[in-house]
mmCIF file of all heavy atoms in Angstrom:
data_model
loop_
_atom_site.group_PDB
_atom_site.id
_atom_site.type_symbol
_atom_site.label_atom_id
_atom_site.label_comp_id
_atom_site.label_asym_id
_atom_site.label_seq_id
_atom_site.Cartn_x
_atom_site.Cartn_y
_atom_site.Cartn_z
ATOM 1 N N ARG A 236 2.644 14.538 2.081
ATOM 2 C CA ARG A 236 3.158 14.252 3.436
ATOM 3 C C ARG A 236 2.745 12.861 3.902
ATOM 4 O O ARG A 236 3.535 12.127 4.465
ATOM 5 C CB ARG A 236 2.656 15.307 4.429
ATOM 6 C CG ARG A 236 3.377 16.622 4.308
ATOM 7 C CD ARG A 236 3.550 17.307 5.651
ATOM 8 N NE ARG A 236 2.294 17.725 6.251
ATOM 9 C CZ ARG A 236 1.501 18.683 5.774
ATOM 10 N NH1 ARG A 236 1.815 19.304 4.651
ATOM 11 N NH2 ARG A 236 0.399 19.015 6.395
ATOM 12 N N TYR A 239 4.805 9.926 2.572
ATOM 13 C CA TYR A 239 6.112 9.666 3.196
ATOM 14 C C TYR A 239 6.015 9.355 4.688
ATOM 15 O O TYR A 239 7.027 9.223 5.363
ATOM 16 C CB TYR A 239 7.037 10.883 2.986
ATOM 17 C CG TYR A 239 7.485 11.035 1.551
ATOM 18 C CD1 TYR A 239 6.889 11.962 0.708
ATOM 19 C CD2 TYR A 239 8.497 10.238 1.041
ATOM 20 C CE1 TYR A 239 7.293 12.103 -0.610
ATOM 21 C CE2 TYR A 239 8.917 10.364 -0.270
ATOM 22 C CZ TYR A 239 8.308 11.304 -1.094
ATOM 23 O OH TYR A 239 8.720 11.423 -2.395
ATOM 24 N N TYR A 240 4.807 9.242 5.212
ATOM 25 C CA TYR A 240 4.597 9.071 6.654
ATOM 26 C C TYR A 240 4.913 7.638 7.073
ATOM 27 O O TYR A 240 4.202 6.701 6.733
ATOM 28 C CB TYR A 240 3.155 9.415 6.997
ATOM 29 C CG TYR A 240 2.845 9.533 8.477
ATOM 30 C CD1 TYR A 240 2.905 10.769 9.122
ATOM 31 C CD2 TYR A 240 2.474 8.417 9.226
ATOM 32 C CE1 TYR A 240 2.604 10.881 10.473
ATOM 33 C CE2 TYR A 240 2.182 8.520 10.576
ATOM 34 C CZ TYR A 240 2.242 9.762 11.191
ATOM 35 O OH TYR A 240 1.947 9.870 12.527
ATOM 36 N N ARG A 241 5.987 7.468 7.818
ATOM 37 C CA ARG A 241 6.382 6.122 8.265
ATOM 38 C C ARG A 241 5.830 5.856 9.652
ATOM 39 O O ARG A 241 5.973 6.678 10.557
ATOM 40 C CB ARG A 241 7.903 5.975 8.274
ATOM 41 C CG ARG A 241 8.506 6.019 6.894
ATOM 42 C CD ARG A 241 10.011 5.827 6.922
ATOM 43 N NE ARG A 241 10.378 4.437 7.180
ATOM 44 C CZ ARG A 241 11.611 3.963 6.999
ATOM 45 N NH1 ARG A 241 12.586 4.766 6.594
ATOM 46 N NH2 ARG A 241 11.881 2.693 7.237
ATOM 47 N N ALA A 242 5.251 4.684 9.830
ATOM 48 C CA ALA A 242 4.701 4.321 11.133
ATOM 49 C C ALA A 242 4.468 2.814 11.179
ATOM 50 O O ALA A 242 4.716 2.109 10.197
ATOM 51 C CB ALA A 242 3.383 5.067 11.385
ATOM 52 N N GLY A 243 4.012 2.357 12.324
ATOM 53 C CA GLY A 243 3.680 0.944 12.491
ATOM 54 C C GLY A 243 4.889 0.094 12.814
ATOM 55 O O GLY A 243 6.024 0.581 12.792
ATOM 56 N N PRO A 244 4.651 -1.181 13.117
ATOM 57 C CA PRO A 244 5.756 -2.061 13.544
ATOM 58 C C PRO A 244 6.832 -2.236 12.471
ATOM 59 O O PRO A 244 7.974 -2.532 12.788
ATOM 60 C CB PRO A 244 5.053 -3.391 13.851
ATOM 61 C CG PRO A 244 3.736 -3.329 13.144
ATOM 62 C CD PRO A 244 3.348 -1.879 13.131
ATOM 63 N N HIS A 245 6.481 -2.075 11.199
ATOM 64 C CA HIS A 245 7.464 -2.275 10.127
ATOM 65 C C HIS A 245 8.065 -0.963 9.606
ATOM 66 O O HIS A 245 8.863 -0.985 8.678
ATOM 67 C CB HIS A 245 6.822 -3.039 8.961
ATOM 68 C CG HIS A 245 6.639 -4.508 9.225
ATOM 69 N ND1 HIS A 245 5.835 -4.987 10.241
ATOM 70 C CD2 HIS A 245 7.164 -5.610 8.625
ATOM 71 C CE1 HIS A 245 5.872 -6.326 10.240
ATOM 72 N NE2 HIS A 245 6.663 -6.712 9.273
ATOM 73 N N ASP A 246 7.656 0.161 10.161
ATOM 74 C CA ASP A 246 8.179 1.477 9.718
ATOM 75 C C ASP A 246 7.866 1.767 8.259
ATOM 76 O O ASP A 246 8.618 2.485 7.592
ATOM 77 C CB ASP A 246 9.706 1.583 9.899
ATOM 78 C CG ASP A 246 10.164 1.289 11.309
ATOM 79 O OD1 ASP A 246 9.439 1.632 12.256
ATOM 80 O OD2 ASP A 246 11.261 0.698 11.467
ATOM 81 N N THR A 251 8.050 3.581 0.878
ATOM 82 C CA THR A 251 8.907 2.407 1.033
ATOM 83 C C THR A 251 8.958 1.617 -0.273
ATOM 84 O O THR A 251 10.019 1.190 -0.707
ATOM 85 C CB THR A 251 8.388 1.497 2.166
ATOM 86 O OG1 THR A 251 8.254 2.273 3.351
ATOM 87 C CG2 THR A 251 9.312 0.325 2.413
ATOM 88 N N GLU A 254 8.797 4.887 -4.308
ATOM 89 C CA GLU A 254 9.524 6.118 -4.657
ATOM 90 C C GLU A 254 10.767 5.830 -5.480
ATOM 91 O O GLU A 254 11.601 6.704 -5.675
ATOM 92 C CB GLU A 254 9.870 6.945 -3.397
ATOM 93 C CG GLU A 254 10.918 6.339 -2.515
ATOM 94 C CD GLU A 254 11.543 7.341 -1.535
ATOM 95 O OE1 GLU A 254 11.484 8.555 -1.758
ATOM 96 O OE2 GLU A 254 12.111 6.859 -0.541
ATOM 97 N N GLY A 257 11.875 0.744 -11.235
ATOM 98 C CA GLY A 257 12.434 -0.576 -11.525
ATOM 99 C C GLY A 257 12.478 -1.510 -10.335
ATOM 100 O O GLY A 257 13.302 -2.427 -10.285
ATOM 101 N N ARG A 258 11.625 -1.288 -9.357
ATOM 102 C CA ARG A 258 11.634 -2.160 -8.174
ATOM 103 C C ARG A 258 10.440 -3.083 -8.185
ATOM 104 O O ARG A 258 9.419 -2.810 -8.805
ATOM 105 C CB ARG A 258 11.612 -1.304 -6.900
ATOM 106 C CG ARG A 258 12.761 -0.337 -6.802
ATOM 107 C CD ARG A 258 14.061 -1.056 -6.543
ATOM 108 N NE ARG A 258 15.184 -0.145 -6.789
ATOM 109 C CZ ARG A 258 16.415 -0.364 -6.334
ATOM 110 N NH1 ARG A 258 16.672 -1.449 -5.636
ATOM 111 N NH2 ARG A 258 17.375 0.485 -6.600
ATOM 112 N N ARG A 259 10.571 -4.173 -7.451
ATOM 113 C CA ARG A 259 9.432 -5.079 -7.309
ATOM 114 C C ARG A 259 9.473 -5.766 -5.956
ATOM 115 O O ARG A 259 10.515 -5.904 -5.334
ATOM 116 C CB ARG A 259 9.396 -6.105 -8.441
ATOM 117 C CG ARG A 259 10.691 -6.821 -8.692
ATOM 118 C CD ARG A 259 10.530 -7.977 -9.670
ATOM 119 N NE ARG A 259 11.404 -9.051 -9.258
ATOM 120 C CZ ARG A 259 12.673 -9.155 -9.660
ATOM 121 N NH1 ARG A 259 13.171 -8.302 -10.514
ATOM 122 N NH2 ARG A 259 13.429 -10.132 -9.200
ATOM 123 N N ILE A 260 8.283 -6.220 -5.521
ATOM 124 C CA ILE A 260 8.147 -7.067 -4.348
ATOM 125 C C ILE A 260 7.861 -8.453 -4.869
ATOM 126 O O ILE A 260 6.929 -8.638 -5.651
ATOM 127 C CB ILE A 260 6.990 -6.582 -3.447
ATOM 128 C CG1 ILE A 260 7.464 -5.394 -2.622
ATOM 129 C CG2 ILE A 260 6.505 -7.690 -2.540
ATOM 130 C CD1 ILE A 260 6.532 -5.001 -1.515
ATOM 131 N N ARG A 261 8.695 -9.412 -4.450
ATOM 132 C CA ARG A 261 8.623 -10.730 -5.089
ATOM 133 C C ARG A 261 8.621 -10.489 -6.596
ATOM 134 O O ARG A 261 9.559 -9.885 -7.089
ATOM 135 C CB ARG A 261 7.388 -11.509 -4.611
ATOM 136 C CG ARG A 261 7.517 -11.977 -3.152
ATOM 137 C CD ARG A 261 8.181 -13.334 -3.080
ATOM 138 N NE ARG A 261 8.231 -13.871 -1.715
ATOM 139 C CZ ARG A 261 8.520 -15.147 -1.443
ATOM 140 N NH1 ARG A 261 8.772 -16.001 -2.416
ATOM 141 N NH2 ARG A 261 8.590 -15.578 -0.203
ATOM 142 N N ARG A 303 -3.232 -1.779 4.686
ATOM 143 C CA ARG A 303 -3.218 -3.074 5.370
ATOM 144 C C ARG A 303 -1.831 -3.708 5.254
ATOM 145 O O ARG A 303 -1.263 -4.182 6.238
ATOM 146 C CB ARG A 303 -4.261 -4.012 4.760
ATOM 147 C CG ARG A 303 -4.268 -5.426 5.363
ATOM 148 C CD ARG A 303 -5.265 -6.334 4.660
ATOM 149 N NE ARG A 303 -4.896 -6.622 3.280
ATOM 150 C CZ ARG A 303 -3.997 -7.547 2.902
ATOM 151 N NH1 ARG A 303 -3.402 -8.283 3.815
ATOM 152 N NH2 ARG A 303 -3.709 -7.725 1.633
ATOM 153 N N GLN A 304 -1.268 -3.658 4.046
ATOM 154 C CA GLN A 304 0.045 -4.256 3.839
ATOM 155 C C GLN A 304 1.134 -3.473 4.570
ATOM 156 O O GLN A 304 2.174 -4.020 4.915
ATOM 157 C CB GLN A 304 0.345 -4.334 2.342
ATOM 158 C CG GLN A 304 -0.559 -5.342 1.637
ATOM 159 C CD GLN A 304 -0.441 -5.276 0.128
ATOM 160 O OE1 GLN A 304 -0.640 -4.234 -0.491
ATOM 161 N NE2 GLN A 304 -0.108 -6.395 -0.482
ATOM 162 N N ARG A 306 0.783 -2.570 7.447
ATOM 163 C CA ARG A 306 0.519 -2.930 8.857
ATOM 164 C C ARG A 306 -0.211 -1.820 9.600
ATOM 165 O O ARG A 306 -0.124 -1.692 10.817
ATOM 166 C CB ARG A 306 1.798 -3.302 9.611
ATOM 167 C CG ARG A 306 2.226 -4.747 9.465
ATOM 168 C CD ARG A 306 2.781 -5.060 8.125
ATOM 169 N NE ARG A 306 3.148 -6.486 8.000
ATOM 170 C CZ ARG A 306 3.510 -7.055 6.853
ATOM 171 N NH1 ARG A 306 3.535 -6.345 5.734
ATOM 172 N NH2 ARG A 306 3.825 -8.322 6.810
ATOM 173 N N MET A 307 -0.927 -0.990 8.847
ATOM 174 C CA MET A 307 -1.711 0.085 9.451
ATOM 175 C C MET A 307 -3.122 -0.418 9.751
ATOM 176 O O MET A 307 -3.544 -1.454 9.254
ATOM 177 C CB MET A 307 -1.799 1.271 8.489
ATOM 178 C CG MET A 307 -0.475 1.846 8.058
ATOM 179 S SD MET A 307 0.395 2.647 9.407
ATOM 180 C CE MET A 307 1.660 3.490 8.471
ATOM 181 N N PRO A 308 -3.900 0.362 10.543
ATOM 182 C CA PRO A 308 -5.305 0.022 10.756
ATOM 183 C C PRO A 308 -6.111 0.200 9.460
ATOM 184 O O PRO A 308 -5.533 0.498 8.412
ATOM 185 C CB PRO A 308 -5.766 1.028 11.825
ATOM 186 C CG PRO A 308 -4.541 1.695 12.322
ATOM 187 C CD PRO A 308 -3.494 1.567 11.274
ATOM 188 N N GLU A 309 -7.441 0.081 9.566
ATOM 189 C CA GLU A 309 -8.255 0.127 8.348
ATOM 190 C C GLU A 309 -8.522 1.561 7.895
ATOM 191 O O GLU A 309 -9.030 2.385 8.657
ATOM 192 C CB GLU A 309 -9.583 -0.587 8.575
ATOM 193 C CG GLU A 309 -10.403 -0.699 7.297
ATOM 194 C CD GLU A 309 -11.602 -1.617 7.459
ATOM 195 O OE1 GLU A 309 -12.667 -1.133 7.877
ATOM 196 O OE2 GLU A 309 -11.463 -2.816 7.192
ATOM 197 N N ILE A 311 -10.507 4.369 6.154
ATOM 198 C CA ILE A 311 -11.951 4.553 5.974
ATOM 199 C C ILE A 311 -12.246 5.091 4.575
ATOM 200 O O ILE A 311 -11.601 6.043 4.111
ATOM 201 C CB ILE A 311 -12.505 5.511 7.054
ATOM 202 C CG1 ILE A 311 -12.312 4.879 8.445
ATOM 203 C CG2 ILE A 311 -13.977 5.826 6.797
ATOM 204 C CD1 ILE A 311 -12.512 5.849 9.604
ATOM 205 N N SER A 314 -12.359 8.958 3.368
ATOM 206 C CA SER A 314 -11.763 9.761 4.443
ATOM 207 C C SER A 314 -10.782 10.793 3.880
ATOM 208 O O SER A 314 -10.363 10.711 2.723
ATOM 209 C CB SER A 314 -11.040 8.853 5.431
ATOM 210 O OG SER A 314 -9.987 8.163 4.766
ATOM 211 N N ALA A 316 -7.681 11.175 4.474
ATOM 212 C CA ALA A 316 -6.386 10.600 4.084
ATOM 213 C C ALA A 316 -6.468 9.920 2.717
ATOM 214 O O ALA A 316 -5.581 10.092 1.879
ATOM 215 C CB ALA A 316 -5.903 9.612 5.138
ATOM 216 N N TYR B 283 2.573 21.395 12.155
ATOM 217 C CA TYR B 283 2.738 20.840 10.820
ATOM 218 C C TYR B 283 2.960 19.324 10.907
ATOM 219 O O TYR B 283 2.326 18.552 10.208
ATOM 220 C CB TYR B 283 3.938 21.532 10.167
ATOM 221 C CG TYR B 283 4.201 21.151 8.749
ATOM 222 C CD1 TYR B 283 3.493 21.749 7.722
ATOM 223 C CD2 TYR B 283 5.171 20.219 8.440
ATOM 224 C CE1 TYR B 283 3.744 21.410 6.406
ATOM 225 C CE2 TYR B 283 5.429 19.877 7.127
ATOM 226 C CZ TYR B 283 4.720 20.474 6.114
ATOM 227 O OH TYR B 283 4.965 20.143 4.811
ATOM 228 N N GLU B 286 -0.206 17.452 11.934
ATOM 229 C CA GLU B 286 -1.364 17.450 11.063
ATOM 230 C C GLU B 286 -1.546 16.106 10.367
ATOM 231 O O GLU B 286 -2.653 15.564 10.333
ATOM 232 C CB GLU B 286 -1.259 18.563 10.019
ATOM 233 C CG GLU B 286 -2.602 18.803 9.333
ATOM 234 C CD GLU B 286 -2.480 19.434 7.963
ATOM 235 O OE1 GLU B 286 -1.403 19.928 7.616
ATOM 236 O OE2 GLU B 286 -3.481 19.411 7.229
ATOM 237 N N SER B 294 -8.911 9.223 9.844
ATOM 238 C CA SER B 294 -9.195 8.513 8.591
ATOM 239 C C SER B 294 -9.085 7.000 8.726
ATOM 240 O O SER B 294 -9.320 6.279 7.763
ATOM 241 C CB SER B 294 -8.220 8.980 7.501
ATOM 242 O OG SER B 294 -8.349 10.363 7.275
ATOM 243 N N MET B 295 -8.695 6.549 9.912
ATOM 244 C CA MET B 295 -8.512 5.104 10.085
ATOM 245 C C MET B 295 -9.247 4.630 11.318
ATOM 246 O O MET B 295 -9.569 5.412 12.207
ATOM 247 C CB MET B 295 -7.027 4.786 10.219
ATOM 248 C CG MET B 295 -6.247 5.062 8.966
ATOM 249 S SD MET B 295 -4.800 4.019 8.872
ATOM 250 C CE MET B 295 -4.004 4.707 7.439
ATOM 251 N N LYS B 296 -9.498 3.318 11.357
ATOM 252 C CA LYS B 296 -10.132 2.760 12.547
ATOM 253 C C LYS B 296 -9.517 1.406 12.890
ATOM 254 O O LYS B 296 -8.934 0.737 12.011
ATOM 255 C CB LYS B 296 -11.639 2.638 12.331
ATOM 256 C CG LYS B 296 -12.026 1.776 11.155
ATOM 257 C CD LYS B 296 -13.548 1.692 11.021
ATOM 258 C CE LYS B 296 -13.904 0.727 9.914
ATOM 259 N NZ LYS B 296 -15.325 0.683 9.612
ATOM 260 N N LYS B 298 -8.927 -2.366 13.474
ATOM 261 C CA LYS B 298 -9.431 -3.533 12.735
ATOM 262 C C LYS B 298 -8.764 -4.770 13.341
ATOM 263 O O LYS B 298 -7.543 -4.865 13.375
ATOM 264 C CB LYS B 298 -9.071 -3.375 11.252
ATOM 265 C CG LYS B 298 -9.465 -4.553 10.380
ATOM 266 C CD LYS B 298 -10.921 -4.508 9.994
ATOM 267 C CE LYS B 298 -11.232 -5.626 8.996
ATOM 268 N NZ LYS B 298 -12.648 -5.653 8.624
ATOM 269 N N ARG B 305 -0.946 2.468 16.280
ATOM 270 C CA ARG B 305 0.171 2.263 15.350
ATOM 271 C C ARG B 305 0.478 3.512 14.529
ATOM 272 O O ARG B 305 1.517 3.577 13.873
ATOM 273 C CB ARG B 305 -0.144 1.107 14.389
ATOM 274 C CG ARG B 305 -0.063 -0.246 15.049
ATOM 275 C CD ARG B 305 -0.039 -1.337 14.013
ATOM 276 N NE ARG B 305 -0.009 -2.650 14.640
ATOM 277 C CZ ARG B 305 -0.019 -3.791 13.981
ATOM 278 N NH1 ARG B 305 -0.050 -3.775 12.662
ATOM 279 N NH2 ARG B 305 0.017 -4.939 14.610
ATOM 280 N N LEU B 306 -0.429 4.462 14.507
ATOM 281 C CA LEU B 306 -0.202 5.672 13.707
ATOM 282 C C LEU B 306 0.758 6.639 14.385
ATOM 283 O O LEU B 306 1.316 7.524 13.738
ATOM 284 C CB LEU B 306 -1.545 6.365 13.439
ATOM 285 C CG LEU B 306 -2.554 5.523 12.652
ATOM 286 C CD1 LEU B 306 -3.910 6.203 12.625
ATOM 287 C CD2 LEU B 306 -2.048 5.277 11.234
ATOM 288 N N GLN B 308 4.064 8.090 15.717
ATOM 289 C CA GLN B 308 5.436 7.898 15.264
ATOM 290 C C GLN B 308 6.416 7.992 16.426
ATOM 291 O O GLN B 308 6.261 8.853 17.299
ATOM 292 C CB GLN B 308 5.805 8.976 14.244
ATOM 293 C CG GLN B 308 5.087 8.827 12.916
ATOM 294 C CD GLN B 308 5.492 9.914 11.943
ATOM 295 O OE1 GLN B 308 5.516 11.095 12.306
ATOM 296 N NE2 GLN B 308 5.811 9.547 10.727
ATOM 297 N N GLN B 312 10.897 7.318 13.209
ATOM 298 C CA GLN B 312 9.891 7.326 12.134
ATOM 299 C C GLN B 312 9.581 8.749 11.698
ATOM 300 O O GLN B 312 9.440 9.029 10.502
ATOM 301 C CB GLN B 312 8.615 6.622 12.608
ATOM 302 C CG GLN B 312 8.784 5.123 12.769
ATOM 303 C CD GLN B 312 7.595 4.478 13.450
ATOM 304 O OE1 GLN B 312 6.935 5.096 14.271
ATOM 305 N NE2 GLN B 312 7.337 3.219 13.137
ATOM 306 N N SER B 316 10.389 10.468 7.768
ATOM 307 C CA SER B 316 9.184 10.656 6.940
ATOM 308 C C SER B 316 9.335 11.831 5.981
ATOM 309 O O SER B 316 8.481 12.714 5.906
ATOM 310 C CB SER B 316 7.959 10.863 7.840
ATOM 311 O OG SER B 316 7.661 9.679 8.529
ATOM 312 N N ARG B 319 13.232 11.493 -0.321
ATOM 313 C CA ARG B 319 14.665 11.200 -0.428
ATOM 314 C C ARG B 319 15.480 12.447 -0.725
ATOM 315 O O ARG B 319 16.639 12.555 -0.340
ATOM 316 C CB ARG B 319 14.905 10.222 -1.589
ATOM 317 C CG ARG B 319 14.558 8.831 -1.226
ATOM 318 C CD ARG B 319 14.842 7.867 -2.345
ATOM 319 N NE ARG B 319 14.946 6.542 -1.752
ATOM 320 C CZ ARG B 319 15.961 5.721 -1.958
ATOM 321 N NH1 ARG B 319 16.942 6.034 -2.745
ATOM 322 N NH2 ARG B 319 15.992 4.542 -1.367
ATOM 323 N N SER B 359 10.739 -16.934 3.962
ATOM 324 C CA SER B 359 9.708 -17.098 2.930
ATOM 325 C C SER B 359 8.338 -16.613 3.383
ATOM 326 O O SER B 359 7.472 -16.347 2.553
ATOM 327 C CB SER B 359 9.571 -18.580 2.541
ATOM 328 O OG SER B 359 10.818 -19.086 2.183
ATOM 329 N N GLY B 363 2.113 -11.762 9.030
ATOM 330 C CA GLY B 363 2.425 -11.242 10.357
ATOM 331 C C GLY B 363 2.153 -9.768 10.507
ATOM 332 O O GLY B 363 2.605 -8.958 9.696
ATOM 333 N N LEU B 364 1.318 -9.423 11.507
ATOM 334 C CA LEU B 364 1.045 -8.055 11.942
ATOM 335 C C LEU B 364 0.128 -7.248 11.024
ATOM 336 O O LEU B 364 -0.172 -6.095 11.290
ATOM 337 C CB LEU B 364 2.353 -7.280 12.215
ATOM 338 C CG LEU B 364 3.214 -7.897 13.329
ATOM 339 C CD1 LEU B 364 4.607 -7.249 13.379
ATOM 340 C CD2 LEU B 364 2.536 -7.747 14.698
ATOM 341 N N SER B 367 -5.231 -8.679 8.616
ATOM 342 C CA SER B 367 -5.791 -9.883 8.008
ATOM 343 C C SER B 367 -5.060 -11.140 8.458
ATOM 344 O O SER B 367 -5.454 -12.248 8.107
ATOM 345 C CB SER B 367 -5.705 -9.752 6.488
ATOM 346 O OG SER B 367 -4.378 -9.409 6.111
ATOM 347 N N ALA B 380 10.567 -10.783 -0.123
ATOM 348 C CA ALA B 380 9.841 -9.660 -0.712
ATOM 349 C C ALA B 380 10.823 -8.659 -1.312
ATOM 350 O O ALA B 380 10.542 -8.042 -2.341
ATOM 351 C CB ALA B 380 8.967 -8.984 0.335
ATOM 352 N N ALA B 390 10.996 -16.004 -7.324
ATOM 353 C CA ALA B 390 10.061 -14.952 -6.902
ATOM 354 C C ALA B 390 10.672 -14.131 -5.762
ATOM 355 O O ALA B 390 10.277 -14.249 -4.608
ATOM 356 C CB ALA B 390 8.729 -15.563 -6.483
ATOM 357 N N TYR B 391 11.682 -13.348 -6.120
ATOM 358 C CA TYR B 391 12.300 -12.482 -5.120
ATOM 359 C C TYR B 391 12.186 -11.025 -5.548
ATOM 360 O O TYR B 391 12.174 -10.710 -6.738
ATOM 361 C CB TYR B 391 13.777 -12.847 -4.920
ATOM 362 C CG TYR B 391 14.630 -12.636 -6.160
ATOM 363 C CD1 TYR B 391 15.259 -11.408 -6.399
ATOM 364 C CD2 TYR B 391 14.781 -13.640 -7.107
ATOM 365 C CE1 TYR B 391 16.020 -11.206 -7.535
ATOM 366 C CE2 TYR B 391 15.533 -13.449 -8.254
ATOM 367 C CZ TYR B 391 16.148 -12.236 -8.466
ATOM 368 O OH TYR B 391 16.887 -12.030 -9.601
ATOM 369 N N GLY B 392 12.109 -10.138 -4.587
ATOM 370 C CA GLY B 392 12.021 -8.714 -4.887
ATOM 371 C C GLY B 392 13.393 -8.064 -4.929
ATOM 372 O O GLY B 392 14.413 -8.702 -4.642
ATOM 373 N N ASN B 393 13.424 -6.806 -5.315
ATOM 374 C CA ASN B 393 14.724 -6.125 -5.443
ATOM 375 C C ASN B 393 14.746 -4.743 -4.784
ATOM 376 O O ASN B 393 15.500 -3.874 -5.195
ATOM 377 C CB ASN B 393 15.130 -6.036 -6.912
ATOM 378 C CG ASN B 393 14.163 -5.182 -7.728
ATOM 379 O OD1 ASN B 393 13.179 -4.672 -7.190
ATOM 380 N ND2 ASN B 393 14.458 -4.993 -8.993
ATOM 381 N N SER B 428 16.987 3.756 6.413
ATOM 382 C CA SER B 428 16.885 2.583 5.542
ATOM 383 C C SER B 428 15.418 2.181 5.479
ATOM 384 O O SER B 428 14.660 2.432 6.406
ATOM 385 C CB SER B 428 17.719 1.445 6.143
ATOM 386 O OG SER B 428 17.237 0.191 5.696
ATOM 387 N N HIS B 429 15.033 1.549 4.376
ATOM 388 C CA HIS B 429 13.636 1.116 4.225
ATOM 389 C C HIS B 429 13.320 -0.158 4.996
ATOM 390 O O HIS B 429 12.175 -0.549 5.131
ATOM 391 C CB HIS B 429 13.323 0.873 2.749
ATOM 392 C CG HIS B 429 13.061 2.141 1.987
ATOM 393 N ND1 HIS B 429 12.939 2.180 0.627
ATOM 394 C CD2 HIS B 429 12.912 3.408 2.400
ATOM 395 C CE1 HIS B 429 12.714 3.423 0.231
ATOM 396 N NE2 HIS B 429 12.701 4.185 1.297
ATOM 397 N N ARG B 432 12.787 -2.906 11.446
ATOM 398 C CA ARG B 432 13.663 -3.211 12.595
ATOM 399 C C ARG B 432 13.199 -4.536 13.197
ATOM 400 O O ARG B 432 12.443 -4.552 14.164
ATOM 401 C CB ARG B 432 13.570 -2.086 13.629
ATOM 402 C CG ARG B 432 14.116 -0.758 13.137
ATOM 403 C CD ARG B 432 13.823 0.371 14.116
ATOM 404 N NE ARG B 432 12.505 0.974 13.889
ATOM 405 C CZ ARG B 432 12.032 2.007 14.579
ATOM 406 N NH1 ARG B 432 12.747 2.539 15.556
ATOM 407 N NH2 ARG B 432 10.827 2.503 14.305
ATOM 408 N N ALA B 436 11.823 -3.833 16.845
ATOM 409 C CA ALA B 436 10.372 -3.636 16.801
ATOM 410 C C ALA B 436 9.618 -4.892 17.226
ATOM 411 O O ALA B 436 8.384 -4.898 17.220
ATOM 412 C CB ALA B 436 9.946 -3.226 15.390
#
Side-chain angles (χ1 to χ4, degrees):
Chain A
R236 284 215 294 293
Y239 289 101
Y240 191 93
R241 293 182 75 167
H245 285 62
D246 305 325
T251 306
E254 70 162 339
R258 302 289 166 162
R259 50 171 216 271
I260 281 192
R261 289 271 185 166
R303 177 183 67 81
Q304 292 171 303
R306 275 73 182 171
M307 302 292 192
E309 186 170 88
I311 297 166
S314 62
Chain B
Y283 184 82
E286 194 204 346
S294 300
M295 294 207 187
K296 59 179 185 186
K298 177 81 174 178
R305 287 194 182 178
L306 299 171
Q308 290 180 313
Q312 290 171 329
S316 292
R319 282 182 159 231
S359 306
L364 299 169
S367 52
Y391 63 90
N393 64 359
S428 156
H429 281 171
R432 294 172 274 182

